[in-house]
Amino acid sequence: MMLVHVVALVGVLVSLVTPSVADTCRGYPGVPGIPGKHGSHGKDGVKGEKGDRGDDFLLAKGQKGEPGLLGPPGRSGIQGDPGMPGVPGLLGPKGERGTAMAAATSKKSFFSFKKRSNRAPTKDQPIRFDLSLADGDTLHNGEFHCEIKGCYFFTYHVTGRTLVCLNIKKGTVTMVGFCDSGEKGYLVTSGSVVLQLDVGDKVSVQTTENNLVMGTEGADSIFTGFLLFPMS
């Protein structure tokens, strides 16, 4: 029984001393704990009412200022497109009538002859082209006699055999020479020249020692010439 009273007394003393010690002796702060997870977003609130309009004078346009000084002229721009043509002007006064003049007569000279004979021509002599193919000038024994001073064009087209060599001569001077050959049978050759002639000059086609020139049917030989333009 005595033991029970002692224990009860000790309990009362402890209960009286403990609050006093707690008030005067505090311990060190503990280690912070791990943060918790973020919570979910809350719901949007109700939309507020529209605010009042501001003062109108803040939007008013200010007065126009004074113009500034003129700047220097800029560079010339790109040329524009041509404009539309204007209205045609009025007709001018009629001019005076001109003096009547006689029409100038045009000078002509031409010929074209072919060789009718199949006889071989003589060396260094004009070939006898004796059949006229055009109503023009006349050949004198195959030779052209100039009656109009000017520039002329002469050409020949000759049929021959084996070897043919021809010269176009002004008088006795050879102006150009041409040769053509074939291994066998017939051959056709041609040549031409432009010559300046004075009145009285003579032009002809002449052969050399190789003069197998023909003039039979189907194997024609032709000499042609004409005035290109007269000269004063």
Side-chain angles (χ1 to χ4, degrees):
M1 189 67 177
M2 186 64 178
L3 180 59
V4 173
H5 287 291
V6 172
V7 171
L9 180 60
V10 172
V12 172
L13 292 176
V14 170
S15 63
L16 294 175
V17 174
T18 300
S20 177
V21 173
D23 293 337
T24 58
C25 297
R26 294 175 179 241
Y28 294 102
V31 178
I34 299 173
K37 296 182 178 179
H38 290 287
S40 59
H41 291 287
K43 296 181 179 181
D44 294 335
V46 179
K47 184 176 181 180
E49 297 180 357
K50 185 175 182 181
D52 297 334
R53 182 175 179 179
D55 296 332
D56 292 338
F57 71 88
L58 296 178
L59 302 178
K61 186 176 181 180
Q63 295 181 355
K64 185 176 181 180
E66 296 293 333
L69 299 176
L70 294 177
R75 293 180 296 178
S76 300
I78 301 174
Q79 184 176 0
D81 297 332
M84 297 295 292
V87 180
L90 300 176
L91 293 176
K94 187 175 181 180
E96 297 180 0
R97 184 174 182 179
T99 304
M101 299 292 291
T105 57
S106 58
K107 298 180 180 180
K108 297 180 181 179
S109 178
F110 64 94
F111 68 89
S112 185
F113 282 78
K114 78 174 184 177
K115 184 178 184 295
R116 285 187 293 187
S117 173
N118 200 31
R119 181 182 300 176
T122 304
K123 174 186 174 182
D124 295 329
Q125 293 295 320
I127 299 176
R128 296 288 296 272
F129 296 94
D130 52 3
L131 178 60
S132 177
L133 301 177
D135 187 13
D137 297 337
T138 301
L139 295 184
H140 302 275
N141 295 325
E143 193 172 48
F144 170 72
H145 292 188
C146 177
E147 296 181 357
I148 302 173
K149 181 179 179 179
C151 271
Y152 289 77
F153 177 78
F154 297 98
T155 183
Y156 67 79
H157 183 93
V158 167
T159 303
R161 301 193 65 176
T162 310
L163 178 62
V164 173
C165 289
L166 301 173
N167 296 324
I168 298 180
K169 289 190 174 184
K170 180 180 176 181
T172 59
V173 179
T174 299
M175 306 307 295
V176 288
F178 304 92
C179 283
D180 203 354
S181 63
E183 294 181 0
K184 59 182 179 178
Y186 297 106
L187 64 89
V188 177
T189 183
S190 62
S192 60
V193 67
V194 174
L195 298 177
Q196 180 177 328
L197 302 181
D198 291 322
V199 177
D201 285 341
K202 301 176 182 179
V203 178
S204 62
V205 178
Q206 300 185 17
T207 65
T208 63
E209 63 274 4
N210 303 303
N211 59 0
L212 296 179
V213 177
M214 303 180 65
T216 60
E217 185 69 24
D220 294 322
S221 295
I222 299 172
F223 181 33
T224 300
F226 54 87
L227 175 66
L228 293 174
F229 55 87
M231 301 176 65
S232 57

